[in-house]
Amino acid sequence: DQAFDELNQMLINEKPLSFKRAVFITENAYTESLLSYEDFSFQIDALIKLTKSVAAMDGLDYTKNDRNQVLLAGAIYKVMKDSLHFQSPDKKVSFRKTPFTYDMDDYVGKSDWTKMFVSKLLYEQTGNCHSLPALYKILADELGVESWLAITPNHTYIKQWSDKTGWYNTELTTGGFPYDAQRSEEHTSELQSPCNLVCRLLLEKKK
């Protein structure tokens, strides 16, 4: 199987690790090659350009050595979660970027597994706690921003590090940057789950 072979080549270091490519390969295999990597990449590249534009506006009051990482991380979050207005330098072209939102219809993919896909999120602008953090991770990787997917029972979010605050959470589903204690209160099943210690470990890139 071509999809399995390419993913395996990444795992055994025969090909460079690419979370973006791995996500596409997996989703394309499920749809029996109905997706286009060119289209997928085009939409990712467009979001990267918007993120760089937001970062270029700067205004960040932060002086630690990882300032650029924090600036870009914040710009990714804004592009995904805020309503933004963009205008060309000559002011002849402008458009409004609306935020990605949560898809309440079959949000666990019980009837339609493609509801979990990043490709679906890109086309429909709606996703869930699987596709939203996955897209953030793709953008972060492409921009050289360190981030880790974190898994808890029935939920996925992003963990990041800043020199000022240490570890912090980036929540793409409800929005915000909750502390671990806040996350435990919001997701009480995490406290009751026997796999809590395992499921809350950060996923390394190969995982």
Side-chain angles (χ1 to χ4, degrees), residues 35-46:
L35 302 178
S36 163
Y37 189 61
E38 182 178 357
D39 291 345
F40 186 80
S41 295
F42 178 82
Q43 294 182 77
I44 297 296
D45 290 343

Side-chain angles (χ1 to χ4, degrees), residues 30 102-117 120 128-130:
Y30 183 86
Y102 194 80
D103 186 355
M104 296 299 295
D105 180 27
D106 190 22
Y107 56 88
V108 294
K110 186 175 181 180
S111 300
D112 180 4
W113 188 245
T114 64
K115 290 278 190 176
M116 313 295 284
F117 286 6
K120 179 267 184 192
N128 54 27
C129 67
H130 180 273

Side-chain angles (χ1 to χ4, degrees), residues 3 24 33 44 50 52 60 71 95 98 100 111 159 169 191 197:
F24 174 81
S33 300
I44 297 296
L50 293 182
K52 289 180 177 178
L60 178 66
L71 177 65
F95 72 96
T98 57
F100 292 103
S111 300
K159 269 196 164 305
N169 302 316
L191 298 177
L197 293 177

Side-chain angles (χ1 to χ4, degrees), residues 122-157:
L122 291 171
Y123 282 110
E124 299 185 8
Q125 302 293 294
T126 61
N128 54 27
C129 67
H130 180 273
S131 58
L132 287 163
L135 176 58
Y136 184 102
K137 172 66 176 168
I138 289 172
L139 297 176
D141 283 358
E142 296 297 298
L143 288 163
V145 176
E146 291 189 334
S147 66
W148 291 265
L149 286 170
I151 305 296
T152 64
N154 302 316
H155 193 64
T156 309
Y157 60 102

Side-chain angles (χ1 to χ4, degrees), residues 17-85:
L17 281 173
S18 170
F19 184 65
K20 169 188 166 185
R21 180 65 183 169
V23 168
F24 174 81
I25 291 169
T26 304
E27 295 182 2
N28 193 45
Y30 183 86
T31 63
E32 298 183 344
S33 300
L34 293 178
L35 302 178
S36 163
Y37 189 61
E38 182 178 357
D39 291 345
F40 186 80
S41 295
F42 178 82
Q43 294 182 77
I44 297 296
D45 290 343
L47 291 173
I48 289 172
K49 289 178 182 178
L50 293 182
T51 301
K52 289 180 177 178
S53 295
V54 171
M57 299 175 192
D58 207 324
L60 178 66
D61 182 16
Y62 188 90
T63 59
K64 297 292 185 180
N65 291 334
D66 61 340
R67 187 180 192 280
N68 192 58
Q69 288 270 313
V70 173
L71 177 65
L72 285 171
I76 297 170
Y77 184 85
K78 285 183 178 180
V79 166
M80 291 191 63
K81 299 300 293 182
D82 287 353
S83 294
L84 301 171
H85 182 259

